[in-house]
Amino acid sequence: MQALYILLGAMAVLIPGLFIVSMFLPATVKVRRTRVIPASPSRLFEQVNVLRNWERWSPWHQVDPTMQLKYNETSSGAGARYTWQSKHRQVGKGSMTITESRPDEFIATDMQFMEQGAAKASFRFEPVNNGTLVTWEVAMNMGQRPVRKLMGLMMDKWVGKDFERGLENLEKLVK
């Protein structure tokens, strides 16, 4: 019986404590990874700007190569869009639309994750001595719900590894 009281007491402290901590966490979470890839900005830009090319380098396409994809009529640049659907928990279902595309410099996307909400992502391509510095970033609004804000603390660890793998795949592709 004493163990039950200890457990209840710990929960009575832990749950409100997590709620209070979450009030001080930011609502927006950002994940960013960079990599210098020995290729021109134009070669890398083309791999990201043409959505069908994502099947060759995106880490999520490798997690579930059988995911269902549907592309709209615009295949690249602003307005290009695709939706995906997967039974794999890590991939899920959603859509991505390129909202801005500046040749060889910058691409911005809006993503809708049906289960987790929306996110905005971007790619920057900056020429450097050894090739191109590619920066892949995503920003997600976790809202004001305490559990989601606490989950935001783990986003860099979860999504960051995928970004690293994607940039590595991109480098292998353009070699």
Side-chain angles (χ1 to χ4, degrees):
M1 191 65 150
Q2 184 178 10
L4 179 61
Y5 289 133
I6 292 172
L7 180 63
L8 289 174
M11 288 177 54
V13 170
L14 185 62
I15 292 173
L18 288 174
F19 179 77
I20 291 168
V21 166
S22 75
M23 290 174 31
F24 296 100
L25 295 174
T28 301
V29 174
K30 289 185 180 181
V31 177
R32 177 185 300 143
R33 292 294 186 271
T34 61
R35 185 180 185 100
V36 174
I37 298 177
S40 68
S42 61
R43 278 189 73 199
L44 294 161
F45 177 85
E46 186 70 15
Q47 292 304 317
V48 179
N49 195 51
V50 178
L51 292 183
R52 288 187 186 273
N53 289 342
W54 284 56
E55 295 178 47
R56 299 181 357 210
W57 63 269
S58 167
W60 301 288
H61 288 267
Q62 292 178 339
V63 169
D64 183 4
T66 65
M67 80 169 98
Q68 296 175 342
L69 301 168
K70 291 183 184 173
Y71 296 90
N72 73 348
E73 293 174 5
T74 305
S75 63
S76 65
R81 180 176 191 270
Y82 80 99
T83 61
W84 70 88
Q85 188 165 353
S86 169
K87 293 180 181 176
H88 195 285
R89 187 167 114 22
Q90 188 179 348
V91 179
K93 61 182 178 176
S95 67
M96 182 174 73
T97 305
I98 296 178
T99 57
E100 185 178 350
S101 177
R102 295 193 310 257
D104 306 339
E105 292 179 13
F106 180 78
I107 296 169
T109 66
D110 281 347
M111 296 181 293
Q112 295 291 324
F113 301 99
M114 300 311 169
E115 296 86 18
Q116 284 90 21
K120 294 190 178 292
S122 66
F123 290 83
R124 292 190 187 281
F125 307 93
E126 300 173 45
V128 294
N129 290 340
N130 309 11
T132 302
L133 176 66
V134 181
T135 302
W136 187 2
E137 179 177 87
V138 68
M140 299 162 275
N141 187 334
M142 305 308 280
Q144 295 303 318
R145 296 185 300 197
V147 173
R148 284 187 53 96
K149 287 175 80 173
L150 288 167
M151 284 178 54
L153 294 173
M154 298 301 295
M155 279 303 174
D156 190 75
K157 182 178 179 181
W158 293 334
V159 178
K161 288 180 182 179
D162 291 334
F163 280 19
E164 290 166 11
R165 194 168 49 251
L167 291 171
E168 183 180 321
N169 294 342
L170 196 54
E171 180 174 350
K172 289 176 186 173
L173 181 64
V174 298
K175 277 189 175 182

